[in-house]
Amino acid sequence: MDNTKHIKHISKLMSLALRHRPEVIGISLDKQGWASVDELIKGINEKGLTLDRELLQQVVAGNDKQRFSFSEDQTMIRANQGHSIDIDLQLSPAEPPAILYHGTAIDHLPAIREHGLQRQSRQHVHLSDKPETAREVGMRHGKVVILKIDAGKLHAQGHLFYLSANKVWLTDAVPVEFITLPDIAGTSS
Ligand code: HQG
């Protein structure tokens, strides 16, 4: 396997273990989502993917979305966002830009129109400050549509927003009145 593919496999396994299912590599997370670097390296090697500290540094530093962070003393590692397991990243509330974007599949629109944006299996709704990023996120789900979120107004009404270490905006839910939804013909309403 070439190095790029090897790194991608490791990164995917790390996302799974550090966000959703730590047991797949026999590790556990603390309340803030941190796992021991030594245990993570051991667990990934036991899955047949060769990993040492040096390569782990490369996986973290070279990750396209900066998905992972080391603790200050480099002994612990965690995912910066995207968790489905109940951990507390201990992020401080932050003031979002006036407009944020959410990319989703056109098929989700009827439910979003009815319920607003909900966090589904994750701990937060994920929002982007750039429509291009939202497009990439939404494309994973099907025919993509980009929703404009009135984050400034939502924040002004007391909804909390958080900015993850890798610059993803997180919030608990977005009620439908703060979303610009396209109609079926694709024009905005
Ligand atoms: C949709 C990736 C029906 C929502 C990305 C989305 C992101 C609803 C899907 C991160 C709904 C959930 C998160 C409602 C929301 N009814 N569908 N009421 N409310 N939805 O994957 O935001 O590459 O959990 O629109 O980059 O797509 O893995 O969330 O389509 O940052 O690092 O339900 O995951 O990061 O899907 O993606 P997801 P997401 P990584």
Side-chain angles (χ1 to χ4, degrees):
M1 203 190 306
D2 71 43
N3 208 35
T4 317
K5 266 195 189 153
H6 184 60
I7 285 179
K8 197 159 188 185
H9 281 180
I10 290 169
S11 163
K12 286 205 171 251
L13 185 54
M14 283 171 54
S15 284
L16 176 68
L18 294 174
R19 290 170 169 179
H20 310 296
R21 297 180 56 205
E23 72 280 3
V24 293
I25 57 166
I27 61 168
S28 54
L29 310 186
D30 72 11
K31 287 195 175 66
Q32 288 82 46
W34 295 105
S36 147
V37 166
D38 289 339
E39 282 177 23
L40 178 109
I41 288 175
K42 184 166 169 273
I44 289 181
N45 276 286
E46 282 170 7
K47 280 276 168 190
L49 287 170
T50 309
L51 178 66
D52 59 16
R53 267 189 184 258
E54 200 190 326
L55 185 58
L56 182 62
Q57 297 279 359
Q58 275 184 50
V59 173
V60 172
N63 188 265
D64 59 345
K65 288 194 193 168
Q66 294 296 298
R67 291 179 177 88
F68 315 107
S69 289
F70 288 109
S71 59
E72 248 170 69
D73 66 2
Q74 308 274 306
T75 63
M76 309 288 271
I77 187 166
R78 75 176 179 185
N80 287 325
Q81 36 72 230
H83 299 80
S84 57
I85 36 185
D86 184 19
I87 56 105
D88 179 5
L89 287 169
Q90 293 189 310
L91 299 172
S92 305
E95 187 178 342
I99 300 295
L100 286 170
Y101 301 90
H102 179 85
T104 189
I106 210 157
D107 292 351
H108 293 158
L109 285 185
I112 291 173
R113 204 181 292 278
E114 196 170 333
H115 304 291
L117 284 174
Q118 295 178 328
R119 57 199 184 86
Q120 310 295 84
S121 62
R122 301 193 197 250
Q123 283 196 302
H124 297 99
V125 171
H126 287 53
L127 304 169
S128 318
D129 60 358
K130 295 188 195 71
E132 307 85 71
T133 313
R135 178 174 299 280
E136 280 167 28
V137 173
M139 274 166 45
R140 295 154 46 250
H141 298 289
K143 191 168 184 316
V144 65
V145 53
I146 297 170
L147 309 178
K148 226 165 109 179
I149 311 299
D150 212 338
K153 237 183 231 167
L154 196 54
H155 180 253
Q157 297 207 353
H159 284 254
L160 296 180
F161 284 76
Y162 306 89
L163 185 58
S164 71
N166 59 339
K167 311 292 177 217
V168 177
W169 282 96
L170 306 171
T171 195
D172 286 345
V174 181
V176 70
E177 58 270 29
F178 298 89
I179 308 173
T180 305
L181 281 159
D183 65 20
I184 281 149
T187 53
S188 290
S189 61

